Coordinates of all heavy atoms in Angstrom, one line a residue:
M94 N -54.5 -84.7 -51.6 CA -55.2 -83.6 -52.3 C -54.7 -83.6 -53.8 O -53.5 -83.5 -54.0 CB -54.8 -82.3 -51.6 CG -55.3 -81.1 -52.2 SD -54.7 -79.7 -51.3 CE -56.1 -78.6 -51.4
P95 N -55.6 -83.6 -54.7 CA -55.2 -83.5 -56.1 C -54.5 -82.2 -56.5 O -54.8 -81.2 -55.9 CB -56.5 -83.7 -56.9 CG -57.6 -83.6 -55.9 CD -57.0 -83.6 -54.6
N96 N -53.6 -82.3 -57.5 CA -53.0 -81.1 -57.9 C -54.0 -80.1 -58.6 O -54.9 -80.6 -59.3 CB -51.9 -81.4 -59.0 CG -50.7 -82.0 -58.4 OD1 -50.5 -82.0 -57.2 ND2 -49.9 -82.7 -59.2
R97 N -53.9 -78.9 -58.3 CA -54.8 -77.9 -58.9 C -54.3 -77.5 -60.3 O -53.1 -77.3 -60.5 CB -54.8 -76.6 -58.0 CG -55.9 -75.7 -58.3 CD -56.0 -74.6 -57.3 NE -55.9 -73.4 -58.0 CZ -55.1 -72.3 -57.8 NH1 -54.3 -72.4 -56.8 NH2 -55.2 -71.3 -58.5
I98 N -55.2 -77.4 -61.2 CA -54.8 -77.0 -62.6 C -54.4 -75.5 -62.5 O -55.3 -74.7 -62.1 CB -55.9 -77.2 -63.6 CG1 -56.3 -78.7 -63.6 CG2 -55.5 -76.7 -65.0 CD1 -55.3 -79.7 -64.1
L99 N -53.2 -75.2 -62.9 CA -52.7 -73.8 -62.8 C -52.8 -73.1 -64.1 O -52.7 -71.9 -64.2 CB -51.3 -73.8 -62.4 CG -50.9 -73.8 -60.9 CD1 -49.4 -73.7 -60.8 CD2 -51.6 -72.7 -60.2
F100 N -53.1 -73.8 -65.2 CA -53.0 -73.2 -66.5 C -54.2 -73.4 -67.4 O -54.9 -74.4 -67.3 CB -51.8 -73.8 -67.3 CG -50.5 -73.6 -66.6 CD1 -49.9 -74.6 -65.8 CD2 -49.8 -72.4 -66.7 CE1 -48.7 -74.5 -65.2 CE2 -48.6 -72.2 -66.0 CZ -48.0 -73.2 -65.3
T101 N -54.5 -72.4 -68.2 CA -55.6 -72.5 -69.1 C -55.1 -72.1 -70.5 O -54.4 -71.1 -70.6 CB -56.8 -71.5 -68.7 OG1 -57.2 -71.8 -67.4 CG2 -57.9 -71.6 -69.7
L102 N -55.5 -72.8 -71.5 CA -55.2 -72.5 -72.9 C -56.5 -71.9 -73.5 O -57.5 -72.7 -73.6 CB -54.7 -73.7 -73.7 CG -54.5 -73.4 -75.2 CD1 -53.4 -72.4 -75.4 CD2 -54.2 -74.8 -75.9
F103 N -56.5 -70.7 -73.8 CA -57.6 -70.1 -74.5 C -57.4 -70.3 -76.0 O -56.4 -70.0 -76.6 CB -57.7 -68.5 -74.2 CG -58.1 -68.2 -72.8 CD1 -57.1 -67.9 -71.9 CD2 -59.4 -68.3 -72.4 CE1 -57.4 -67.6 -70.6 CE2 -59.7 -68.1 -71.1 CZ -58.8 -67.7 -70.2
H104 N -58.5 -70.9 -76.6 CA -58.4 -71.3 -78.0 C -59.8 -71.3 -78.6 O -60.8 -70.8 -78.0 CB -57.9 -72.8 -78.0 CG -59.0 -73.7 -77.6 ND1 -59.7 -74.5 -78.5 CD2 -59.5 -74.0 -76.4 CE1 -60.7 -75.2 -77.9 NE2 -60.5 -75.0 -76.6
T105 N -59.9 -71.7 -79.9 CA -61.2 -72.0 -80.5 C -61.0 -73.1 -81.5 O -59.9 -73.4 -81.9 CB -61.7 -70.7 -81.2 OG1 -63.1 -70.9 -81.5 CG2 -61.0 -70.3 -82.4
D106 N -62.1 -73.8 -81.8 CA -62.0 -74.9 -82.8 C -61.5 -74.4 -84.1 O -61.8 -73.3 -84.5 CB -63.3 -75.6 -82.9 CG -63.7 -76.3 -81.6 OD1 -62.8 -76.7 -80.8 OD2 -64.9 -76.6 -81.4
A107 N -60.8 -75.3 -84.8 CA -60.4 -75.0 -86.2 C -59.3 -73.9 -86.3 O -59.2 -73.3 -87.3 CB -61.5 -74.8 -87.2
C108 N -58.6 -73.7 -85.2 CA -57.5 -72.7 -85.2 C -56.2 -73.5 -85.2 O -55.8 -74.1 -84.3 CB -57.7 -71.9 -83.9 SG -56.2 -70.9 -83.5
H109 N -55.5 -73.4 -86.4 CA -54.3 -74.1 -86.5 C -53.2 -73.7 -85.6 O -52.4 -74.5 -85.1 CB -53.8 -74.2 -88.0 CG -53.3 -72.9 -88.4 ND1 -54.0 -71.8 -88.8 CD2 -52.0 -72.5 -88.6 CE1 -53.2 -70.8 -89.2 NE2 -52.0 -71.2 -89.0
L110 N -53.2 -72.4 -85.2 CA -52.2 -71.9 -84.3 C -52.5 -72.4 -82.9 O -51.5 -72.8 -82.2 CB -52.2 -70.4 -84.3 CG -51.8 -69.7 -85.6 CD1 -51.9 -68.2 -85.4 CD2 -50.4 -70.1 -86.0
C111 N -53.7 -72.6 -82.6 CA -54.1 -73.2 -81.3 C -53.7 -74.6 -81.2 O -53.2 -75.1 -80.1 CB -55.6 -73.0 -81.0 SG -56.2 -71.3 -81.0
E112 N -53.8 -75.3 -82.3 CA -53.4 -76.7 -82.3 C -51.9 -76.8 -82.2 O -51.4 -77.7 -81.5 CB -53.8 -77.4 -83.6 CG -55.4 -77.5 -83.7 CD -55.8 -77.9 -85.1 OE1 -55.0 -78.1 -86.1 OE2 -57.1 -78.0 -85.3
Q113 N -51.2 -75.9 -82.7 CA -49.7 -75.9 -82.6 C -49.3 -75.6 -81.1 O -48.4 -76.3 -80.6 CB -49.1 -74.9 -83.5 CG -49.1 -75.2 -85.0 CD -48.6 -74.1 -85.9 OE1 -47.9 -73.2 -85.4 NE2 -49.0 -74.1 -87.1
A114 N -50.0 -74.7 -80.5 CA -49.7 -74.3 -79.1 C -50.0 -75.5 -78.2 O -49.2 -75.9 -77.3 CB -50.5 -73.1 -78.7
Q115 N -51.1 -76.2 -78.5 CA -51.5 -77.3 -77.7 C -50.5 -78.4 -77.8 O -50.1 -79.1 -76.8 CB -52.9 -77.8 -78.1 CG -53.4 -79.0 -77.2 CD -54.8 -79.4 -77.6 OE1 -55.5 -78.8 -78.3 NE2 -55.2 -80.6 -77.1
A116 N -50.0 -78.7 -79.0 CA -49.0 -79.7 -79.2 C -47.7 -79.4 -78.4 O -47.1 -80.3 -77.8 CB -48.7 -79.8 -80.7
L117 N -47.3 -78.1 -78.4 CA -46.1 -77.8 -77.6 C -46.3 -78.0 -76.1 O -45.5 -78.5 -75.4 CB -45.7 -76.3 -77.8 CG -45.1 -75.9 -79.1 CD1 -44.9 -74.4 -79.2 CD2 -43.8 -76.6 -79.3
I118 N -47.5 -77.6 -75.6 CA -47.8 -77.7 -74.2 C -47.9 -79.2 -73.8 O -47.4 -79.6 -72.8 CB -49.2 -77.0 -73.9 CG1 -49.0 -75.5 -74.1 CG2 -49.7 -77.3 -72.5 CD1 -50.4 -74.8 -74.2
D119 N -48.5 -80.0 -74.7 CA -48.6 -81.4 -74.4 C -47.3 -82.1 -74.4 O -47.0 -83.1 -73.7 CB -49.5 -82.1 -75.5 CG -51.0 -81.7 -75.3 OD1 -51.4 -81.2 -74.3 OD2 -51.8 -82.0 -76.3
T120 N -46.3 -81.6 -75.2 CA -45.0 -82.2 -75.3 C -44.3 -82.1 -73.9 O -43.6 -83.0 -73.5 CB -44.1 -81.4 -76.3 OG1 -44.7 -81.6 -77.6 CG2 -42.7 -81.8 -76.3
L121 N -44.6 -81.0 -73.2 CA -44.0 -80.8 -71.9 C -44.8 -81.5 -70.7 O -44.4 -81.5 -69.6 CB -43.8 -79.3 -71.6 CG -42.8 -78.6 -72.4 CD1 -42.8 -77.1 -72.0 CD2 -41.5 -79.2 -72.3
G122 N -45.9 -82.1 -71.1 CA -46.7 -82.8 -70.1 C -47.4 -81.9 -69.0 O -47.6 -82.3 -67.9
I123 N -47.7 -80.7 -69.4 CA -48.3 -79.7 -68.5 C -49.8 -80.0 -68.3 O -50.5 -80.2 -69.3 CB -48.1 -78.3 -69.0 CG1 -46.6 -78.0 -69.2 CG2 -48.8 -77.2 -68.1 CD1 -46.4 -76.7 -70.1
D124 N -50.2 -80.0 -67.1 CA -51.7 -80.1 -66.8 C -52.3 -78.8 -67.0 O -51.9 -77.8 -66.5 CB -51.9 -80.5 -65.3 CG -51.6 -82.0 -65.1 OD1 -51.7 -82.8 -66.0 OD2 -51.2 -82.3 -63.9
Y125 N -53.3 -78.8 -67.8 CA -54.0 -77.5 -68.1 C -55.5 -77.8 -68.6 O -55.8 -79.0 -68.8 CB -53.3 -76.7 -69.3 CG -53.3 -77.4 -70.6 CD1 -54.2 -77.0 -71.6 CD2 -52.5 -78.5 -70.9 CE1 -54.3 -77.7 -72.8 CE2 -52.5 -79.1 -72.1 CZ -53.4 -78.7 -73.1 OH -53.4 -79.3 -74.3
V126 N -56.3 -76.8 -68.6 CA -57.6 -76.9 -69.2 C -57.7 -76.1 -70.4 O -57.0 -75.1 -70.5 CB -58.7 -76.5 -68.1 CG1 -58.7 -77.5 -67.0 CG2 -58.5 -75.1 -67.7
K127 N -58.5 -76.5 -71.3 CA -58.8 -75.7 -72.5 C -60.1 -74.9 -72.4 O -61.0 -75.5 -71.8 CB -58.9 -76.6 -73.7 CG -57.6 -77.3 -74.1 CD -57.7 -78.3 -75.2 CE -58.5 -78.0 -76.4 NZ -58.6 -79.0 -77.4
Q128 N -60.0 -73.7 -72.8 CA -61.2 -72.8 -72.7 C -61.5 -72.3 -74.1 O -60.7 -71.5 -74.6 CB -61.0 -71.7 -71.7 CG -62.2 -70.7 -71.6 CD -63.5 -71.3 -71.2 OE1 -63.5 -71.9 -70.1 NE2 -64.5 -71.3 -72.0
D129 N -62.6 -72.7 -74.7 CA -63.0 -72.2 -76.0 C -63.5 -70.8 -75.9 O -64.5 -70.6 -75.1 CB -64.0 -73.1 -76.7 CG -64.2 -72.7 -78.2 OD1 -64.1 -71.6 -78.5 OD2 -64.5 -73.7 -78.9
I130 N -62.9 -69.8 -76.5 CA -63.4 -68.4 -76.3 C -64.7 -68.2 -76.9 O -65.4 -67.2 -76.6 CB -62.3 -67.4 -76.9 CG1 -62.2 -67.5 -78.4 CG2 -61.0 -67.5 -76.2 CD1 -61.5 -66.4 -79.1
C131 N -65.2 -69.1 -77.8 CA -66.5 -68.9 -78.4 C -67.7 -69.2 -77.4 O -68.8 -69.0 -77.6 CB -66.7 -69.8 -79.6 SG -65.7 -69.2 -81.0
D132 N -67.3 -69.8 -76.2 CA -68.3 -70.1 -75.1 C -68.7 -68.8 -74.4 O -69.7 -68.9 -73.6 CB -67.7 -71.1 -74.1 CG -67.4 -72.4 -74.7 OD1 -68.0 -72.7 -75.8 OD2 -66.6 -73.2 -74.1
S133 N -68.1 -67.7 -74.6 CA -68.4 -66.5 -73.9 C -68.1 -65.3 -74.7 O -67.0 -65.2 -75.3 CB -67.6 -66.5 -72.6 OG -67.4 -65.2 -72.1
D134 N -69.1 -64.4 -74.8 CA -68.9 -63.1 -75.5 C -67.7 -62.3 -74.9 O -66.9 -61.7 -75.6 CB -70.1 -62.2 -75.5 CG -71.2 -62.8 -76.4 OD1 -71.0 -63.6 -77.2 OD2 -72.4 -62.4 -76.1
E135 N -67.6 -62.4 -73.6 CA -66.5 -61.7 -72.9 C -65.1 -62.2 -73.3 O -64.2 -61.5 -73.6 CB -66.7 -61.9 -71.4 CG -66.2 -60.8 -70.5 CD -66.6 -61.0 -69.1 OE1 -67.7 -60.6 -68.7 OE2 -65.8 -61.6 -68.3
L136 N -65.0 -63.6 -73.3 CA -63.8 -64.2 -73.7 C -63.4 -63.9 -75.2 O -62.3 -63.7 -75.5 CB -63.8 -65.7 -73.5 CG -63.8 -66.1 -72.0 CD1 -63.9 -67.7 -71.9 CD2 -62.5 -65.7 -71.3
A137 N -64.5 -64.0 -76.0 CA -64.3 -63.7 -77.5 C -63.8 -62.3 -77.7 O -62.9 -62.0 -78.5 CB -65.6 -63.9 -78.2
Q138 N -64.3 -61.3 -76.9 CA -63.9 -60.0 -77.0 C -62.4 -59.8 -76.5 O -61.6 -59.1 -77.1 CB -64.8 -59.0 -76.3 CG -64.5 -57.6 -76.4 CD -65.5 -56.7 -75.8 OE1 -66.6 -57.1 -75.3 NE2 -65.3 -55.4 -75.9
E139 N -62.1 -60.5 -75.4 CA -60.8 -60.3 -74.8 C -59.7 -61.0 -75.6 O -58.6 -60.4 -75.8 CB -60.8 -61.0 -73.4 CG -59.5 -61.1 -72.7 CD -59.0 -59.8 -72.1 OE1 -59.8 -58.9 -71.8 OE2 -57.8 -59.7 -71.8
Y140 N -60.0 -62.2 -76.1 CA -58.9 -63.0 -76.7 C -59.1 -63.2 -78.2 O -58.3 -63.9 -78.9 CB -58.8 -64.4 -76.0 CG -58.4 -64.3 -74.6 CD1 -59.4 -64.5 -73.6 CD2 -57.1 -64.0 -74.2 CE1 -59.0 -64.4 -72.2 CE2 -56.8 -63.9 -72.9 CZ -57.7 -64.1 -71.9 OH -57.3 -64.0 -70.6
G141 N -60.2 -62.7 -78.8 CA -60.5 -63.0 -80.2 C -59.4 -62.8 -81.2 O -59.3 -63.6 -82.1
T142 N -58.6 -61.8 -81.1 CA -57.5 -61.6 -82.0 C -56.2 -62.0 -81.5 O -55.1 -61.8 -82.2 CB -57.4 -60.1 -82.4 OG1 -57.2 -59.3 -81.2 CG2 -58.7 -59.6 -83.0
R143 N -56.1 -62.6 -80.3 CA -54.8 -63.0 -79.7 C -54.6 -64.5 -79.5 O -53.5 -64.9 -79.2 CB -54.7 -62.3 -78.3 CG -54.8 -60.8 -78.3 CD -54.3 -60.2 -77.0 NE -55.2 -60.5 -75.9 CZ -54.8 -60.9 -74.7 NH1 -53.5 -61.0 -74.4 NH2 -55.6 -61.1 -73.7
I144 N -55.6 -65.3 -79.7 CA -55.5 -66.7 -79.4 C -54.4 -67.3 -80.4 O -54.3 -66.9 -81.5 CB -56.8 -67.5 -79.5 CG1 -57.4 -67.3 -80.9 CG2 -57.7 -67.1 -78.4 CD1 -58.6 -68.2 -81.1
P145 N -53.8 -68.4 -79.9 CA -53.9 -69.0 -78.5 C -53.1 -68.1 -77.5 O -52.1 -67.5 -77.7 CB -53.2 -70.3 -78.7 CG -52.2 -70.1 -79.8 CD -52.8 -69.1 -80.7
V146 N -53.7 -68.2 -76.3 CA -53.1 -67.5 -75.1 C -53.1 -68.5 -74.0 O -54.1 -69.2 -73.7 CB -53.9 -66.3 -74.7 CG1 -53.3 -65.7 -73.4 CG2 -53.9 -65.2 -75.8
F147 N -51.9 -68.7 -73.3 CA -51.8 -69.6 -72.2 C -51.7 -68.8 -70.9 O -50.9 -67.9 -70.8 CB -50.5 -70.4 -72.4 CG -50.4 -71.7 -71.7 CD1 -51.4 -72.6 -71.6 CD2 -49.2 -72.0 -71.0 CE1 -51.4 -73.8 -71.0 CE2 -49.1 -73.2 -70.3 CZ -50.2 -74.1 -70.3
L148 N -52.7 -69.0 -70.0 CA -52.8 -68.2 -68.8 C -52.3 -69.0 -67.6 O -52.6 -70.2 -67.5 CB -54.3 -67.9 -68.6 CG -54.7 -67.3 -67.2 CD1 -54.2 -65.8 -67.2 CD2 -56.2 -67.4 -67.0
R149 N -51.6 -68.4 -66.8 CA -51.1 -69.0 -65.5 C -52.0 -68.4 -64.4 O -52.0 -67.2 -64.1 CB -49.7 -68.6 -65.2 CG -49.1 -69.2 -64.0 CD -47.7 -68.9 -63.8 NE -47.3 -69.5 -62.6 CZ -46.2 -70.3 -62.4 NH1 -45.4 -70.6 -63.4 NH2 -46.0 -70.9 -61.3
A150 N -52.8 -69.3 -63.8 CA -53.9 -68.8 -62.8 C -53.3 -68.2 -61.6 O -53.9 -67.2 -61.1 CB -54.8 -70.0 -62.5
D151 N -52.2 -68.6 -61.1 CA -51.7 -68.1 -59.8 C -51.2 -66.7 -59.9 O -51.3 -65.9 -58.9 CB -50.7 -69.0 -59.2 CG -49.4 -69.2 -60.0 OD1 -49.5 -68.9 -61.2 OD2 -48.4 -69.7 -59.5
T152 N -50.7 -66.3 -61.1 CA -50.2 -64.9 -61.2 C -51.0 -64.1 -62.2 O -50.7 -62.9 -62.4 CB -48.7 -65.0 -61.7 OG1 -48.7 -65.6 -63.0 CG2 -47.8 -65.7 -60.7
Q153 N -51.9 -64.8 -62.9 CA -52.7 -64.1 -64.0 C -51.8 -63.7 -65.2 O -52.2 -63.0 -66.1 CB -53.5 -63.0 -63.5 CG -54.6 -63.4 -62.5 CD -55.6 -64.3 -63.1 OE1 -56.2 -64.1 -64.1 NE2 -55.7 -65.5 -62.5
A154 N -50.5 -64.2 -65.2 CA -49.6 -63.9 -66.4 C -50.2 -64.7 -67.6 O -50.7 -65.7 -67.5 CB -48.2 -64.4 -66.0
Q155 N -49.9 -64.0 -68.7 CA -50.4 -64.6 -70.0 C -49.2 -64.7 -71.0 O -48.4 -63.8 -71.1 CB -51.5 -63.7 -70.6 CG -52.7 -63.6 -69.8 CD -53.7 -62.7 -70.4 OE1 -53.6 -62.2 -71.5 NE2 -54.8 -62.5 -69.7
L156 N -49.2 -65.9 -71.6 CA -48.1 -66.1 -72.6 C -48.9 -66.1 -74.0 O -49.7 -67.0 -74.2 CB -47.5 -67.5 -72.4 CG -46.3 -67.8 -73.4 CD1 -45.2 -66.8 -73.3 CD2 -45.8 -69.2 -73.1
N157 N -48.6 -65.1 -74.8 CA -49.2 -64.9 -76.1 C -48.5 -65.7 -77.1 O -47.2 -65.8 -77.1 CB -49.3 -63.4 -76.4 CG -50.3 -62.7 -75.5 OD1 -51.4 -63.0 -75.3 ND2 -49.7 -61.7 -74.8
W158 N -49.2 -66.1 -78.1 CA -48.6 -66.8 -79.3 C -47.9 -65.7 -80.1 O -48.4 -64.6 -80.2 CB -49.7 -67.5 -80.1 CG -49.1 -68.3 -81.2 CD1 -49.1 -68.0 -82.5 CD2 -48.5 -69.6 -81.1 NE1 -48.5 -69.0 -83.2 CE2 -48.1 -70.0 -82.4 CE3 -48.3 -70.5 -80.0 CZ2 -47.5 -71.2 -82.6 CZ3 -47.7 -71.7 -80.3 CH2 -47.3 -72.0 -81.6
P159 N -46.8 -66.0 -80.7 CA -46.1 -67.3 -80.8 C -45.2 -67.5 -79.6 O -44.6 -66.6 -79.1 CB -45.3 -67.1 -82.1 CG -45.0 -65.7 -82.2 CD -46.1 -65.0 -81.6
F160 N -45.1 -68.8 -79.2 CA -44.2 -69.2 -78.2 C -43.6 -70.5 -78.6 O -44.1 -71.2 -79.4 CB -44.7 -69.2 -76.8 CG -46.0 -70.0 -76.6 CD1 -46.0 -71.4 -76.5 CD2 -47.2 -69.3 -76.6 CE1 -47.2 -72.1 -76.3 CE2 -48.4 -70.0 -76.4 CZ -48.4 -71.4 -76.2
D161 N -42.4 -70.8 -78.0 CA -41.7 -72.1 -78.3 C -41.5 -72.8 -77.0 O -41.8 -72.3 -75.9 CB -40.5 -71.9 -79.1 CG -39.5 -70.9 -78.5 OD1 -39.7 -70.6 -77.3 OD2 -38.6 -70.4 -79.2
I162 N -40.8 -74.0 -77.1 CA -40.5 -74.7 -75.9 C -39.7 -73.9 -74.8 O -40.1 -73.9 -73.7 CB -39.8 -76.1 -76.2 CG1 -40.8 -77.0 -77.0 CG2 -39.3 -76.8 -75.0 CD1 -41.9 -77.6 -76.2
P163 N -38.6 -73.3 -75.2 CA -37.9 -72.5 -74.2 C -38.8 -71.4 -73.5 O -38.7 -71.2 -72.3 CB -36.7 -71.9 -75.0 CG -36.5 -72.8 -76.1 CD -37.9 -73.3 -76.5
K164 N -39.6 -70.7 -74.3 CA -40.4 -69.6 -73.7 C -41.5 -70.3 -72.8 O -41.8 -69.7 -71.7 CB -41.1 -68.8 -74.8 CG -40.2 -67.9 -75.5 CD -41.0 -67.1 -76.5 CE -40.1 -66.2 -77.3 NZ -40.7 -65.5 -78.4
L165 N -42.0 -71.4 -73.2 CA -43.0 -72.1 -72.4 C -42.4 -72.6 -71.1 O -43.0 -72.4 -70.0 CB -43.6 -73.3 -73.2 CG -44.8 -74.0 -72.8 CD1 -46.0 -73.0 -72.5 CD2 -45.3 -75.0 -73.8
K166 N -41.2 -73.2 -71.2 CA -40.5 -73.6 -69.9 C -40.3 -72.5 -69.0 O -40.5 -72.6 -67.8 CB -39.2 -74.3 -70.3 CG -39.4 -75.7 -70.8 CD -38.0 -76.4 -71.0 CE -38.2 -77.8 -71.5 NZ -36.8 -78.4 -71.7
Q167 N -39.8 -71.4 -69.5 CA -39.6 -70.2 -68.7 C -40.9 -69.7 -68.0 O -41.0 -69.4 -66.8 CB -39.0 -69.1 -69.5 CG -38.7 -67.8 -68.7 CD -38.1 -66.7 -69.5 OE1 -38.1 -66.8 -70.8 NE2 -37.5 -65.7 -68.9
F168 N -42.0 -69.7 -68.8 CA -43.3 -69.3 -68.3 C -43.8 -70.1 -67.2 O -44.4 -69.6 -66.2 CB -44.3 -69.3 -69.5 CG -45.6 -68.7 -69.1 CD1 -45.9 -67.4 -68.9 CD2 -46.7 -69.6 -69.0 CE1 -47.1 -66.9 -68.6 CE2 -48.0 -69.1 -68.7 CZ -48.2 -67.8 -68.5
I169 N -43.6 -71.4 -67.3 CA -44.2 -72.3 -66.3 C -43.2 -72.5 -65.1 O -43.5 -73.1 -64.1 CB -44.6 -73.7 -66.8 CG1 -43.4 -74.5 -67.3 CG2 -45.6 -73.6 -67.9 CD1 -43.6 -75.9 -67.7
G170 N -42.0 -72.0 -65.3 CA -41.0 -72.1 -64.2 C -40.3 -73.5 -64.2 O -39.8 -73.9 -63.1
A171 N -40.2 -74.1 -65.3 CA -39.5 -75.4 -65.4 C -38.0 -75.3 -65.6 O -37.5 -74.3 -66.1 CB -40.1 -76.2 -66.6

């Protein structure tokens, strides 16, 4: 059975903070999906002023920017 993706990065194109968040997440090798908030009016309203936001699906916990490697490790339980 393949591993289930537990994490989502809410972002939008041309967002330099989102790119920084993605680089940190990629550094740790975390499996995640990216969700562009511009794909949905609901997402844009929810996250428009907060992106990037990293969501943990199993608990619905959200890690808001700014975060660093130690905060990210704590969030994912590493």
Side-chain angles (χ1 to χ4, degrees):
M94 176 184 216
N96 289 342
R97 194 173 126 228
I98 302 293
L99 274 183
F100 301 99
T101 301
L102 176 63
F103 291 100
H104 75 102
T105 195
D106 289 339
C108 167
H109 73 282
L110 297 177
C111 299
E112 292 168 2
Q113 290 175 17
Q115 183 177 345
L117 287 175
I118 295 163
D119 290 346
T120 297
L121 294 179
I123 302 167
D124 287 332
Y125 67 98
V126 293
K127 289 171 50 178
Q128 176 65 58
D129 191 327
I130 65 166
C131 292
D132 292 344
S133 157
D134 290 341
E135 207 172 277
L136 291 175
Q138 185 171 358
E139 172 79 20
Y140 296 106
T142 59
R143 300 192 294 137
I144 58 169
V146 175
F147 202 45
L148 171 74
R149 183 178 178 127
D151 60 345
T152 63
Q153 295 300 302
Q155 297 179 5
L156 182 62
N157 294 301
W158 188 259
F160 52 81
D161 55 15
I162 293 290
K164 286 182 184 174
L165 193 53
K166 283 183 174 179
Q167 181 180 14
F168 183 72
I169 66 169

